[in-house]
Amino acid sequence: MTTLQDRLTQLLPVWQNDVKSFLSEHGDDVISKVTLSQAYGGMRGVRALVCETSLVEPDTGLVIRGIPVKKLVDRLPEEILWLLLTSEFPDEHQLQWLQSDLKKRARVPDYVWAVLEAMPRDSHPMCMLNTAILCMGRESVFHRHYDEGLTKDHYWGETLDDALNLIARLPAVAAGIYRLRFGKGPRILSSPKLDWGADFAYMLGIDDPDGSFAKLMRLYLVLHSDHESGNVSANAAATVNSALSDLYYALSAGLNGLAGPLHGLANQECLAWVLQTKERFGGVPTREQLEKYAWETLEAGHVVPGYGHAVLRITDPRFDAFLDFGKKHCPDDEVFQIVARVFEVVPNVLKQVKKIKDPWPNVDAASGALLWKYGLTELSYYTVLFSVSRALGICAQAVIARGMGYPIVRPKSSTTEWLKKQLMRTPVPA
Ligand code: NMX
Ligand code: MLT
């Protein structure tokens, strides 16, 4: 039976040689150009990063290792982790090995709970999560061995160790934060029998008589796991890790970015917007009422959360997957019905606003309604769930980047003055 370490030991030299010969043949070829607008515009559309774990094209959405995300909805998050790292699904033995390896690594150090308990009771759950991850950095195998003289060819192995420790502990940390922050009673210990996603659901302590909340959590953890490497969280984490700051620093940095309302926090804001419409109209609003409400939001200078994307120009397939789950498990739930109706109305409103490039729903537009239906009604917690999932992709990307020996990330910036000098030079007459 091959472990992840064994398989990556086999795969990495093959990938390294492949990239080496690709670079030796095409190293000077141009793959993208950068306009002035792009330099001022968040580098939108500039292809300047390499990411093997997944690809997001405007007209397809998330494709993990060549597989469209819609074909991954019935997989376990652990299978996705193996897939992200190796580009293969684990066989039955490899999956069992990974699941038991994660269980062995899952104990959260006591000082993490002490730190969390010392935080103000009104701390945002994302601040608590990132504090917990950062203080756990004391456990970093990479950091310890780097100080002892670790060489570059061993960076990936120690990064993988940190990745597996982090991924193993995050569900308990995140569930512990939920119970502490929202007064849900003592922490619930991990169950040795449950898979990673179901165990997380169990430790949250949400009532789940038919097991469908565990199903939702597995789906949630699969859908948010990765979105190539240009998004704020993955990009920030990759940059920090490229300085050889260990994965605890890097993951925490990335997830601090996920805490922004234009990124992961949109899931919290989106459900808040949906609930406001329910309150305002006393139930499921009509299409006309929703349309009016969307215009009011825009005219007040706010974004409609859960809609639009920096890359996508179609309905996010991850949104579709959540919508399918809702249609199957809670078609009569009023909040879910509003989400479905918003989808019928809001794209047509946003299409009328010329500056908005993508009028379609993204991953954050539907997830909150499903969590709400299962009684997970603390909106400020939602981005923590996104974080536990996104850790899979961020960690996998870091292991591969260190395994491929990629250098420190350091693009070049310019001043407006320098740019003007370049672009506004008076042409010399012929
Ligand atoms: N509602 C209102 N205005 C919007 C929306 C929206 N949903 N989407 C884009 N715009 C505006 C945007 O604010 C910008 O306005 P301005 O020039 O005045 O600053 C203009 O349209 C052009 O933006 P785009 O080029 O279409 O989008 P961009 O790539 O800059 O930003 C998002 C992408 C996702 C940040 C943006 O669509 C947005 O703010 N959406 C709402 C928040 C959201 O759902 N974020 C979650 C993204 C997914 N995730 O989980 O991370
Ligand atoms: C993500 O999953 O990271 C979001 O859709 C944002 C992005 O890709 O830019």
Side-chain angles (χ1 to χ4, degrees):
M1 199 262 312
T2 41
T3 65
L4 258 182
Q5 286 80 350
D6 297 337
R7 192 64 191 119
L8 282 168
T9 303
Q10 293 158 353
L11 289 169
L12 280 167
V14 180
W15 294 339
Q16 285 162 358
N17 285 334
D18 180 51
V19 170
K20 200 171 159 194
S21 69
F22 186 39
L23 275 172
S24 74
E25 262 184 69
H26 294 281
D28 292 327
D29 292 3
V30 176
I31 52 168
S32 200
K33 62 172 188 169
V34 185
T35 64
L36 189 65
S37 304
Q38 286 171 310
Y40 281 97
M43 293 185 282
R44 206 70 80 257
V46 178
R47 285 184 190 257
L49 300 168
V50 176
C51 172
E52 310 296 357
T53 53
S54 64
L55 182 70
V56 178
E57 293 293 355
D59 57 346
T60 60
L62 175 62
V63 174
I64 295 182
R65 294 291 196 175
I67 307 172
V69 68
K70 277 188 180 172
K71 293 197 172 158
L72 296 170
V73 293
D74 295 322
R75 295 282 181 168
L76 290 172
E78 299 92 309
E79 293 180 279
I80 302 299
L81 174 62
W82 190 290
L83 177 69
L84 287 164
L85 280 162
T86 65
S87 90
E88 307 158 346
F89 285 117
D91 64 25
E92 196 189 324
H93 300 293
Q94 289 166 331
L95 179 61
Q96 272 170 14
W97 170 85
L98 178 57
Q99 289 180 320
S100 89
D101 188 65
L102 290 174
K103 291 279 182 207
K104 283 183 208 144
R105 296 168 182 267
R107 194 179 170 279
V108 178
D110 289 339
Y111 63 81
V112 176
W113 301 123
V115 169
L116 290 173
E117 277 156 19
M119 289 181 78
R121 275 292 165 270
D122 59 355
S123 301
H124 194 282
M126 280 300 285
C127 177
M128 296 175 81
L129 178 72
N130 285 324
T131 303
I133 292 171
L134 206 51
C135 83
M136 264 199 298
R138 158 181 199 279
E139 312 299 316
S140 171
V141 179
F142 179 93
H143 198 137
R144 192 169 61 244
H145 290 173
Y146 186 85
D147 285 349
E148 290 163 6
L150 191 71
T151 52
K152 194 171 177 182
D153 50 330
H154 289 106
Y155 289 173
W156 74 264
E158 317 302 88
T159 303
L160 178 61
D161 235 345
D162 281 353
L164 292 171
N165 285 335
L166 269 162
I167 291 166
R169 290 169 195 167
L170 278 177
V173 171
I177 289 171
Y178 179 67
R179 299 193 64 77
L180 173 68
R181 174 64 178 73
F182 299 106
K184 298 286 176 182
R187 287 191 298 277
I188 298 171
L189 293 181
S190 157
S191 161
K193 292 191 202 110
L194 294 174
D195 61 80
W196 191 70
D199 200 22
F200 184 21
Y202 170 74
M203 287 187 281
L204 286 167
I206 303 288
D207 206 23
D208 190 20
D210 66 356
S212 59
F213 179 66
K215 276 190 192 149
L216 174 63
M217 286 316 295
R218 290 194 195 102
L219 177 69
Y220 194 105
L221 294 166
V222 166
L223 294 181
H224 293 79
S225 61
D226 204 38
H227 218 230
E228 63 172 43
S229 73
N231 66 76
V232 166
S233 48
N235 194 14
T239 303
V240 171
N241 189 241
S242 81
L244 302 185
S245 297
D246 65 52
L247 205 37
Y248 293 81
Y249 283 120
L251 181 62
S252 171
L255 299 182
N256 283 324
L258 197 71
L262 296 187
H263 194 15
L265 202 85
N267 56 13
Q268 158 180 344
E269 305 232 314
C270 186
L271 185 61
W273 193 86
V274 165
L275 295 175
Q276 278 158 25
T277 69
K278 183 166 180 274
E279 166 116 11
R280 161 103 169 251
F281 301 109
V284 181
T286 62
R287 286 180 185 75
E288 293 69 31
Q289 287 170 328
L290 272 179
E291 187 174 334
K292 191 162 168 275
Y293 198 71
W295 279 116
E296 271 176 34
T297 302
L298 295 172
E299 278 153 18
H302 302 301
V303 296
V304 178
Y307 281 74
H309 201 273
V311 176
L312 298 175
R313 296 295 176 259
I314 53 166
T315 296
D316 191 330
R318 301 172 296 175
F319 169 85
D320 281 336
F322 278 131
L323 205 67
D324 289 347
F325 186 96
K327 283 180 189 160
K328 186 166 172 200
H329 292 278
C330 54
D332 300 327
D333 182 85
E334 279 203 338
V335 177
F336 175 71
Q337 286 178 350
I338 300 177
V339 165
R341 189 159 289 176
V342 170
F343 179 39
E344 289 167 16
V345 170
V346 162
N348 291 329
V349 172
L350 299 184
K351 275 181 203 168
Q352 296 172 53
V353 183
K354 212 171 158 210
K355 67 177 182 180
I356 299 177
K357 296 189 192 65
D358 174 40
W360 302 108
N362 62 56
V363 67
D364 292 324
S367 55
L370 303 176
L371 297 168
W372 183 267
K373 134 81 178 118
Y374 284 96
L376 212 167
T377 54
E378 296 79 10
L379 272 56
S380 65
Y381 187 71
Y382 291 177
T383 312
V384 172
L385 300 173
F386 194 152
S387 302
V388 174
S389 171
R390 183 50 57 91
L392 299 175
I394 287 178
C395 288
Q397 290 185 21
V399 171
I400 291 166
R402 302 289 71 80
M404 297 299 284
Y406 293 148
I408 187 166
V409 175
R410 204 323 187 172
K412 180 76 188 80
S413 59
S414 318
T415 60
T416 298
E417 193 189 357
W418 184 93
L419 290 165
K420 280 185 178 168
K421 271 189 198 149
Q422 294 301 305
L423 301 180
M424 295 170 71
R425 258 189 229 137
T426 322
V428 184

